[in-house]
Amino acid sequence: MTAGGPGPAETDRGEKGGIRTALAGLTTRGRSFLAAGVAAAICAYVLGQADLLRVGLLLAALPLVCATVLYRTRYRVAGSRRLSPARVPAGSEARVHLRMDNVSRLPTGLLMLQDRVPYVLGPRPRFVLDRVEAGGRREVSYRVRSDLRGRYPLGPLQLRLTDPFGMCELTRSFSTYDTLTVIPRVEALPPVRLTGEAKGYGDGRQRSLALAGEDDVIPRGYRYGDDLRRVHWRSTARYGELMVRREEQPQRSRCTVLLDTRGIAFQGAGPDSAFEWAVAGAASALVHMLERGFSVRLLTDTGSSVPGEGADGFAGASQESADAAGLMMDTLAVIDHSDGTGLSLAYDVLRGGNEGLLVAFFGDLDEEQAAVAARMRQRSGGAVAFVLDSDAWVREPNDVPGPMRGTEERLRMLREAGWTALGVPRGVSLHELWRQADQERNGIVTASGTGNGEAGS
């Protein structure tokens, strides 16, 4: 990026517009000098004082000359911005590094640097750069912080030029900007074992074994790096090319994190609202399950899933877990309330009964939606639900708690359907509820004497 005065090939119309721009950049001092000069010239004409006229012309000419010289100045300055990091949890700080390079053969004068940032990230940073020598550079930095998740543009960078007398200031803007992504807070969860994994993790890991006999081996073509001890010579002779035996492939566990975003299911707003707790809880569960080797997807009540509609809609097995986590975190950074009124679209996405572990974060549930959520249990290997009572979250601490019969009834319906369902009081951490869910789930399994396998987490 470069900033400087207009090029010499501009038309007369552009030149006149540039002069008006330069005159509009006069500071208070410059306007005062110009007004005093004009007033002195008028008084000198009326009174017939030649000396006063010369003083008036000098006062009026100084700001005009400064504006013209500053307008004609052609500093060639390159600017760059670097975020560290570009994705930061809510409540944490990120540092923005600015670098200015003088790419011309002439030194610059005094430069004032200003970066445009949204109000939620703090005040606009301003820096004063002394004379930058030809080919020199200056580096400055500032910090930004937001308690609200989202995507915030930074820039464009503005460079303010001023003359040595402070008569005129002109602003040059760079064209590029960067984006800071503020993701939900991620809470570290304890390594518990939630019963109900569909397949393929920990002690219950299943493997796709080769069939019984040597003749039943399904070979594939040789790939660079394959161990030559796996060469299947009979298939090699049959197909006329080098073939190798397939190794036992571990099947990764699946986990679906369901986030209820219905606007009618949550009350209140702000970083301490029930909806923000649910978003942060979903983010924590996603990161935790990815770290434990699960194939994970994020599902909302609208039926949309992240990372997308791939072969099975899950991420972690076919792509890097870090990329999958980044994609889902970027989605949660900007997710908002939906206009939907039900969970039927999310229920339709859970097509089969082999969807692995289901971790859901629900808002207020009426009887009909609680019944839909209860049926989701039939389409998963195990199900854990965190149900938030919005009334309890918006109630003042000194208020008398109201009846929770509705919430308790919904929790009972989910538990009868096989869910491990927990109510979420205000101020509780997901760390505690996660361990409590494990204890309740193990109690259910111990009492019933049955289990569908184990899901390590």
Side-chain angles (χ1 to χ4, degrees):
M1 299 182 295
T2 59
E10 291 185 344
T11 61
D12 292 340
R13 180 180 178 182
E15 186 73 18
K16 294 179 181 178
I19 294 177
R20 286 196 297 266
T21 302
L23 294 178
L26 289 175
T27 62
T28 302
R29 179 184 301 177
R31 296 176 186 273
S32 300
F33 268 65
L34 182 61
V38 172
I42 294 176
C43 293
Y45 177 78
V46 173
L47 300 176
Q49 297 291 331
D51 294 337
L52 183 59
L53 178 61
R54 286 192 289 270
V55 172
L57 292 178
L58 178 61
L59 292 176
L62 182 60
L64 296 178
V65 172
C66 290
T68 303
V69 172
L70 186 64
Y71 174 74
R72 292 291 185 180
T73 299
R74 289 177 174 82
Y75 293 143
R76 298 194 62 194
V77 181
S80 62
R81 182 190 299 104
R82 179 173 57 88
L83 304 182
S84 178
R87 185 187 292 117
V88 62
S92 300
E93 290 184 346
R95 183 169 289 275
V96 183
H97 301 269
L98 302 178
R99 172 176 162 179
M100 303 299 298
D101 294 274
N102 183 10
V103 297
S104 66
R105 298 181 178 179
L106 298 176
T108 68
L110 188 66
L111 302 178
M112 288 180 287
L113 195 63
Q114 175 179 281
D115 204 7
R116 299 185 61 181
V117 299
Y119 175 76
V120 70
L121 297 182
R124 289 185 177 181
R126 294 180 174 88
F127 305 94
V128 177
L129 304 181
D130 294 332
R131 177 178 178 273
V132 181
E133 63 279 4
R137 71 177 58 171
R138 297 290 186 272
E139 293 185 2
V140 294
S141 64
Y142 64 93
R143 294 177 296 179
V144 291
R145 179 182 180 275
S146 174
D147 292 327
L148 300 176
R149 56 185 177 82
R151 293 173 62 88
Y152 302 102
L154 299 179
L157 194 63
Q158 292 181 336
L159 193 64
R160 299 175 62 187
L161 309 177
T162 183
D163 64 280
F165 300 101
M167 297 290 179
C168 183
E169 289 183 357
L170 295 181
T171 301
R172 297 287 185 261
S173 296
F174 295 88
S175 58
T176 60
Y177 65 92
D178 295 280
T179 301
L180 175 67
T181 302
V182 180
I183 62 177
R185 295 184 181 93
V186 175
E187 186 176 354
L189 302 181
V192 301
R193 303 183 65 82
L194 296 175
T195 306
E197 178 192 4
K199 55 184 177 180
Y201 186 84
D203 297 338
R205 180 176 297 178
Q206 300 177 358
R207 296 178 180 269
S208 54
L209 302 176
L211 300 180
E214 183 73 12
D215 295 335
D216 295 325
V217 172
I218 302 177
R220 63 168 174 82
Y222 174 83
R223 298 173 186 169
Y224 177 77
D226 286 337
D227 191 347
L228 293 178
R229 290 175 295 182
R230 292 170 47 207
V231 174
H232 192 252
W233 298 109
R234 184 175 299 180
S235 299
T236 299
R238 179 184 302 174
Y239 293 105
E241 60 176 323
L242 201 59
M243 307 293 289
V244 296
R245 293 188 300 271
R246 295 179 182 270
E247 290 183 334
E248 297 178 354
Q249 299 293 331
Q251 294 181 353
R252 297 169 64 98
S253 306
R254 291 180 175 182
C255 177
T256 298
V257 177
L258 173 60
L259 177 60
D260 184 6
T261 63
R262 296 172 299 142
I264 61 174
F266 295 94
Q267 301 179 30
D272 297 328
S273 63
F275 181 69
E276 292 300 323
W277 190 97
V279 174
S284 301
L286 287 168
V287 172
H288 179 76
M289 303 309 286
L290 280 172
E291 290 177 348
R292 295 303 182 270
F294 278 68
S295 295
V296 181
R297 69 174 171 182
L298 172 65
L299 180 64
T300 66
D301 59 289
T302 61
S304 60
S305 62
V306 180
E309 301 295 335
D312 54 5
F314 291 83
S318 59
Q319 65 185 85
E320 293 294 333
S321 297
D323 295 337
L327 181 59
M328 289 183 282
M329 285 299 169
D330 289 344
T331 302
L332 290 176
V334 297
I335 200 167
D336 202 354
H337 292 293
S338 68
D339 297 330
T341 58
L343 302 171
S344 57
L345 295 177
Y347 174 77
D348 294 337
V349 175
L350 302 173
R351 301 181 183 90
N354 193 23
E355 296 294 336
L357 180 64
L358 176 60
V359 181
F361 295 85
F362 293 120
D364 294 330
L365 296 174
D366 55 24
E367 185 175 358
E368 179 182 357
Q369 301 310 316
V372 175
R375 292 197 298 271
M376 293 180 183
R377 173 63 182 85
Q378 303 172 1
R379 300 190 171 189
S380 63
V384 181
F386 301 96
V387 182
L388 291 88
D389 182 7
S390 294
D391 291 335
W393 282 77
V394 298
R395 190 184 303 121
E396 294 296 332
N398 296 330
D399 292 347
V400 178
M404 298 183 61
R405 296 178 181 177
T407 302
E408 292 297 335
E409 179 64 21
R410 307 300 178 249
L411 293 174
R412 184 189 62 81
M413 293 177 60
L414 295 178
R415 289 165 183 163
E416 290 179 351
W419 284 80
T420 301
L422 298 175
V424 181
R426 183 176 180 178
V428 70
S429 67
L430 181 61
H431 184 279
E432 301 175 4
L433 293 177
W434 193 261
R435 191 176 297 279
Q436 182 181 349
D438 173 61
Q439 296 172 353
E440 292 196 9
R441 185 63 185 175
N442 290 336
I444 293 175
V445 174
T446 302
S448 61
T450 60
N452 297 326
E454 292 183 345
S457 59

